[in-house]
Amino acid sequence: MFDFLNELICPELLVLVPVLYLIGFALKKSAFKDKHIPWLLGVVGILLSTVYLIANLEVAGWRDVLAVVFAGITQGVLVAGASVYVNQLVKQKGEKE
């Protein structure tokens, strides 16, 4: 599974998976509603991915801006999805069959 994720997610952005997992864990312990946690992680993942891409890519014109925004959205959704997936793996590991 890690190889599959590594092909889809930029290697530099894989660090966001545990970061989002910890944010989700903290939100779970707070008064935040569980059903909203994946949505918030998605938004945070998109924002962090886009900020990283803008900081590390040369943006010269509107096409570059569109490409960075598209990549930020897709990478953000992927890292948030991977974070939720990791959370489910941890949960299921703790459950007894």
Side-chain angles (χ1 to χ4, degrees):
M1 185 64 175
F2 182 73
D3 293 333
F4 180 69
L5 288 175
N6 204 16
E7 289 179 24
L8 295 176
I9 300 173
C10 295
E12 314 81 57
L13 296 176
L14 282 173
V15 70
L16 291 179
V17 174
V19 169
L20 292 174
Y21 174 80
L22 292 174
I23 291 171
F25 184 78
L27 289 172
K28 179 81 172 167
K29 298 292 182 184
S30 72
F32 204 77
K33 291 186 179 182
D34 289 352
K35 68 179 182 178
H36 298 304
I37 293 173
W39 289 104
L40 184 62
L41 293 180
V43 170
V44 172
I46 290 169
L47 290 174
L48 291 176
S49 296
T50 304
V51 167
Y52 175 83
L53 292 171
I54 288 171
N56 289 296
L57 297 175
E58 185 175 327
V59 180
W62 65 272
R63 288 184 181 183
D64 292 339
V65 171
L66 292 177
V68 166
V69 169
F70 176 77
I73 291 170
T74 55
Q75 291 297 299
V77 168
L78 288 170
V79 294
S83 174
V84 172
Y85 177 73
V86 167
N87 181 50
Q88 290 300 312
L89 288 176
V90 170
K91 261 194 212 178
Q92 290 178 6
K93 184 178 180 184
E95 292 178 359
K96 295 183 180 179
E97 293 183 16

